[in-house]
Coordinates of all heavy atoms in Angstrom, one line a residue:
Chain A
E17 N -7.9 -83.0 -60.0 CA -6.9 -84.1 -60.4 C -6.8 -84.2 -61.9 O -5.7 -84.3 -62.4 CB -7.4 -85.4 -59.8 CG -6.3 -86.5 -59.7 CD -6.8 -87.7 -58.9 OE1 -7.4 -87.4 -57.8 OE2 -6.5 -88.8 -59.3
R18 N -7.9 -84.1 -62.6 CA -7.9 -84.3 -64.0 C -7.2 -83.1 -64.7 O -6.4 -83.2 -65.6 CB -9.4 -84.3 -64.5 CG -9.5 -84.7 -66.0 CD -11.0 -84.9 -66.3 NE -11.1 -85.1 -67.7 CZ -12.3 -85.1 -68.3 NH1 -13.5 -85.0 -67.6 NH2 -12.4 -85.3 -69.6
A19 N -7.4 -81.9 -64.2 CA -6.8 -80.7 -64.7 C -5.3 -80.8 -64.4 O -4.4 -80.5 -65.3 CB -7.3 -79.4 -64.0
A20 N -4.9 -81.2 -63.2 CA -3.5 -81.4 -62.9 C -2.8 -82.4 -63.8 O -1.7 -82.1 -64.3 CB -3.3 -81.8 -61.4
A21 N -3.5 -83.4 -64.2 CA -2.9 -84.4 -65.1 C -2.8 -83.8 -66.5 O -1.7 -84.1 -67.2 CB -3.8 -85.7 -65.2
M22 N -3.7 -83.0 -66.9 CA -3.6 -82.4 -68.3 C -2.4 -81.4 -68.3 O -1.7 -81.4 -69.3 CB -4.9 -81.7 -68.6 CG -6.0 -82.6 -69.0 SD -7.6 -81.7 -69.3 CE -7.2 -80.7 -70.8
L23 N -2.2 -80.7 -67.2 CA -1.1 -79.7 -67.1 C 0.2 -80.5 -67.1 O 1.2 -80.1 -67.8 CB -1.2 -78.8 -65.9 CG -2.4 -77.8 -66.0 CD1 -2.7 -77.3 -64.6 CD2 -2.0 -76.6 -66.9
A24 N 0.3 -81.6 -66.4 CA 1.5 -82.4 -66.3 C 1.8 -83.0 -67.7 O 3.0 -82.9 -68.1 CB 1.4 -83.5 -65.2
E25 N 0.8 -83.4 -68.3 CA 1.1 -84.0 -69.7 C 1.6 -83.0 -70.7 O 2.3 -83.3 -71.6 CB -0.2 -84.7 -70.2 CG 0.0 -85.6 -71.3 CD -1.3 -86.2 -71.9 OE1 -2.2 -86.5 -71.1 OE2 -1.4 -86.4 -73.1
A26 N 1.1 -81.7 -70.5 CA 1.6 -80.7 -71.3 C 3.0 -80.2 -70.9 O 3.5 -79.2 -71.5 CB 0.6 -79.5 -71.3
G27 N 3.6 -80.7 -69.9 CA 4.9 -80.3 -69.4 C 4.9 -79.0 -68.7 O 5.9 -78.3 -68.6
I28 N 3.7 -78.6 -68.1 CA 3.6 -77.3 -67.4 C 3.8 -77.7 -65.9 O 3.0 -78.3 -65.3 CB 2.3 -76.7 -67.7 CG1 2.2 -76.2 -69.1 CG2 2.0 -75.5 -66.7 CD1 0.9 -75.7 -69.6
A29 N 4.9 -77.2 -65.4 CA 5.3 -77.5 -64.0 C 4.5 -76.6 -63.0 O 4.4 -75.4 -63.2 CB 6.8 -77.3 -63.8
L30 N 3.9 -77.3 -62.0 CA 3.3 -76.6 -60.9 C 4.0 -77.0 -59.6 O 4.5 -78.1 -59.5 CB 1.8 -77.0 -60.7 CG 0.9 -76.7 -61.9 CD1 -0.5 -77.1 -61.5 CD2 0.9 -75.3 -62.4
T31 N 4.0 -76.1 -58.6 CA 4.5 -76.4 -57.3 C 3.4 -77.3 -56.6 O 2.2 -77.2 -57.0 CB 4.7 -75.2 -56.4 OG1 3.5 -74.5 -56.2 CG2 5.8 -74.3 -57.0
P32 N 3.7 -78.1 -55.6 CA 2.7 -78.9 -54.9 C 1.6 -78.0 -54.4 O 0.4 -78.3 -54.5 CB 3.5 -79.5 -53.8 CG 4.9 -79.7 -54.3 CD 5.1 -78.4 -55.1
A33 N 1.9 -76.8 -53.9 CA 0.9 -75.9 -53.3 C -0.1 -75.4 -54.4 O -1.3 -75.3 -54.2 CB 1.6 -74.7 -52.7
E34 N 0.5 -75.1 -55.6 CA -0.4 -74.7 -56.8 C -1.3 -75.8 -57.2 O -2.5 -75.6 -57.5 CB 0.5 -74.3 -58.0 CG 1.2 -73.0 -57.8 CD 2.2 -72.6 -58.8 OE1 2.7 -73.6 -59.5 OE2 2.5 -71.4 -59.0
R35 N -0.8 -77.1 -57.2 CA -1.6 -78.2 -57.6 C -2.8 -78.3 -56.6 O -3.9 -78.6 -57.0 CB -0.8 -79.5 -57.5 CG -0.5 -80.1 -58.9 CD 0.0 -81.5 -58.9 NE 1.1 -81.6 -57.9 CZ 2.4 -81.4 -58.2 NH1 2.8 -81.0 -59.4 NH2 3.3 -81.6 -57.3
E36 N -2.5 -78.1 -55.3 CA -3.6 -78.2 -54.3 C -4.7 -77.2 -54.5 O -5.8 -77.4 -54.1 CB -3.0 -78.0 -52.9 CG -2.1 -79.1 -52.4 CD -2.9 -80.4 -52.2 OE1 -4.0 -80.3 -51.6 OE2 -2.5 -81.4 -52.8
R37 N -4.3 -76.0 -55.0 CA -5.3 -74.9 -55.0 C -5.8 -74.6 -56.4 O -6.2 -73.5 -56.7 CB -4.7 -73.6 -54.3 CG -3.5 -73.0 -55.0 CD -3.3 -71.5 -54.5 NE -2.4 -70.9 -55.4 CZ -1.1 -70.7 -55.2 NH1 -0.6 -71.1 -54.0 NH2 -0.3 -70.1 -56.1
I38 N -5.7 -75.6 -57.3 CA -6.4 -75.4 -58.6 C -7.8 -75.1 -58.4 O -8.5 -75.8 -57.6 CB -6.2 -76.7 -59.5 CG1 -4.8 -76.9 -59.9 CG2 -7.1 -76.6 -60.7 CD1 -4.5 -78.2 -60.6
E39 N -8.3 -74.0 -59.0 CA -9.7 -73.6 -58.7 C -10.6 -74.3 -59.7 O -10.3 -74.4 -60.9 CB -9.7 -72.0 -58.9 CG -11.0 -71.4 -58.5 CD -10.9 -69.9 -58.9 OE1 -9.8 -69.3 -59.0 OE2 -12.0 -69.3 -59.0
V40 N -11.7 -74.7 -59.2 CA -12.7 -75.4 -60.1 C -14.0 -74.5 -60.0 O -14.5 -74.3 -59.0 CB -13.1 -76.8 -59.5 CG1 -14.1 -77.4 -60.4 CG2 -11.8 -77.7 -59.5
A41 N -14.4 -74.0 -61.2 CA -15.5 -73.1 -61.3 C -16.7 -73.7 -62.1 O -16.5 -74.0 -63.3 CB -15.1 -71.8 -61.9
D42 N -17.8 -73.9 -61.4 CA -19.0 -74.5 -62.2 C -20.0 -73.3 -62.4 O -21.1 -73.6 -62.9 CB -19.6 -75.7 -61.5 CG -20.4 -75.3 -60.3 OD1 -20.4 -74.2 -59.8 OD2 -21.1 -76.2 -59.8
F43 N -19.7 -72.1 -62.0 CA -20.5 -70.9 -62.2 C -21.9 -71.1 -61.6 O -22.8 -70.5 -62.0 CB -20.6 -70.6 -63.7 CG -19.2 -70.4 -64.4 CD1 -18.6 -71.4 -65.1 CD2 -18.6 -69.2 -64.2 CE1 -17.4 -71.2 -65.7 CE2 -17.3 -69.0 -64.8 CZ -16.7 -70.0 -65.5
G44 N -21.9 -71.9 -60.6 CA -23.2 -72.1 -59.8 C -24.3 -72.9 -60.6 O -25.4 -73.0 -60.1
L45 N -23.9 -73.5 -61.7 CA -24.9 -74.2 -62.5 C -25.0 -75.7 -62.3 O -25.9 -76.4 -62.7 CB -24.6 -74.0 -64.0 CG -24.6 -72.5 -64.5 CD1 -24.3 -72.5 -66.0 CD2 -26.0 -71.9 -64.3
G46 N -23.9 -76.2 -61.6 CA -24.0 -77.6 -61.2 C -23.8 -78.6 -62.3 O -24.2 -79.8 -62.2
R47 N -23.3 -78.2 -63.5 CA -23.0 -79.2 -64.5 C -21.6 -78.8 -65.1 O -21.5 -78.4 -66.3 CB -24.1 -79.2 -65.6 CG -24.6 -77.8 -66.0 CD -25.8 -77.9 -66.9 NE -26.5 -76.6 -67.1 CZ -26.1 -75.7 -68.0 NH1 -25.0 -75.9 -68.8 NH2 -26.7 -74.5 -68.1
L48 N -20.6 -79.1 -64.2 CA -19.3 -78.7 -64.5 C -18.7 -79.2 -65.8 O -18.0 -78.4 -66.6 CB -18.3 -79.2 -63.4 CG -16.9 -78.9 -63.5 CD1 -16.6 -77.4 -63.3 CD2 -16.0 -79.7 -62.6
E49 N -19.0 -80.4 -66.2 CA -18.4 -80.9 -67.4 C -18.8 -80.2 -68.7 O -18.1 -80.1 -69.7 CB -18.6 -82.4 -67.6 CG -17.6 -83.2 -66.7 CD -18.0 -84.6 -66.5 OE1 -18.8 -84.9 -65.6 OE2 -17.5 -85.5 -67.3
E50 N -20.1 -79.6 -68.6 CA -20.5 -78.8 -69.8 C -20.1 -77.4 -69.7 O -19.6 -76.8 -70.6 CB -22.1 -78.8 -69.8 CG -22.7 -80.1 -70.4 CD -24.2 -80.1 -70.0 OE1 -24.9 -79.1 -70.4 OE2 -24.6 -81.0 -69.3
T51 N -20.4 -76.8 -68.5 CA -20.1 -75.3 -68.3 C -19.2 -75.2 -67.1 O -19.7 -75.3 -65.9 CB -21.4 -74.6 -68.1 OG1 -22.3 -74.9 -69.2 CG2 -21.2 -73.1 -68.0
G52 N -18.0 -74.9 -67.3 CA -17.1 -74.8 -66.2 C -15.7 -74.5 -66.7 O -15.4 -74.4 -67.9
L53 N -14.8 -74.4 -65.7 CA -13.4 -74.0 -66.0 C -12.5 -74.4 -64.8 O -13.0 -74.3 -63.6 CB -13.4 -72.5 -66.1 CG -12.2 -71.7 -66.6 CD1 -11.8 -72.2 -68.0 CD2 -12.5 -70.2 -66.6
Q54 N -11.3 -74.8 -65.1 CA -10.3 -75.0 -64.0 C -9.2 -74.0 -64.2 O -8.8 -73.7 -65.3 CB -9.8 -76.5 -64.1 CG -10.9 -77.5 -63.8 CD -12.0 -77.6 -64.9 OE1 -13.2 -77.6 -64.5 NE2 -11.6 -77.7 -66.1
L55 N -8.7 -73.4 -63.1 CA -7.7 -72.4 -63.2 C -6.6 -72.5 -62.2 O -6.8 -72.9 -61.1 CB -8.4 -71.0 -62.8 CG -9.6 -70.6 -63.5 CD1 -10.8 -70.9 -62.7 CD2 -9.6 -69.1 -63.7
V56 N -5.4 -72.1 -62.7 CA -4.3 -71.9 -61.8 C -3.9 -70.5 -61.9 O -3.5 -70.0 -63.0 CB -3.1 -72.8 -62.2 CG1 -1.9 -72.7 -61.1 CG2 -3.5 -74.3 -62.3
V57 N -4.0 -69.7 -60.8 CA -3.6 -68.3 -60.8 C -2.1 -68.3 -60.4 O -1.8 -68.6 -59.2 CB -4.5 -67.5 -59.8 CG1 -4.0 -66.0 -59.9 CG2 -5.9 -67.6 -60.2
Y58 N -1.3 -67.8 -61.3 CA 0.2 -67.7 -61.0 C 0.5 -66.4 -60.2 O 1.2 -66.4 -59.2 CB 1.0 -67.6 -62.2 CG 1.1 -69.0 -63.0 CD1 1.2 -69.0 -64.4 CD2 1.1 -70.2 -62.3 CE1 1.3 -70.1 -65.1 CE2 1.2 -71.4 -63.0 CZ 1.3 -71.3 -64.4 OH 1.4 -72.5 -65.1
V59 N -0.1 -65.3 -60.7 CA 0.1 -64.0 -60.0 C -1.1 -63.1 -60.3 O -1.7 -63.2 -61.4 CB 1.5 -63.4 -60.6 CG1 1.4 -63.2 -62.1 CG2 1.8 -62.1 -59.9
N60 N -1.4 -62.3 -59.4 CA -2.5 -61.3 -59.6 C -2.3 -60.1 -58.7 O -2.7 -60.1 -57.5 CB -3.8 -62.0 -59.2 CG -5.0 -61.1 -59.6 OD1 -4.9 -60.2 -60.4 ND2 -6.2 -61.4 -59.0
T61 N -1.5 -59.1 -59.2 CA -1.2 -57.9 -58.5 C -2.2 -56.8 -58.9 O -3.1 -57.1 -59.7 CB 0.2 -57.4 -58.7 OG1 0.3 -56.9 -60.1 CG2 1.2 -58.6 -58.6

Side-chain angles (χ1 to χ4, degrees):
Chain A
E17 196 171 321
R18 189 173 173 191
M22 286 175 66
L23 289 162
E25 196 182 322
I28 295 174
L30 300 183
T31 62
E34 287 172 337
R35 250 192 313 273
E36 288 298 311
R37 63 162 194 262
I38 293 175
E39 189 185 335
V40 178
D42 77 350
F43 302 100
L45 299 179
R47 39 186 174 84
L48 179 72
E49 279 167 275
E50 282 166 60
T51 305
L53 189 61
Q54 295 66 232
L55 307 96
V56 184
V57 180
Y58 290 148
V59 60
N60 188 20
T61 73

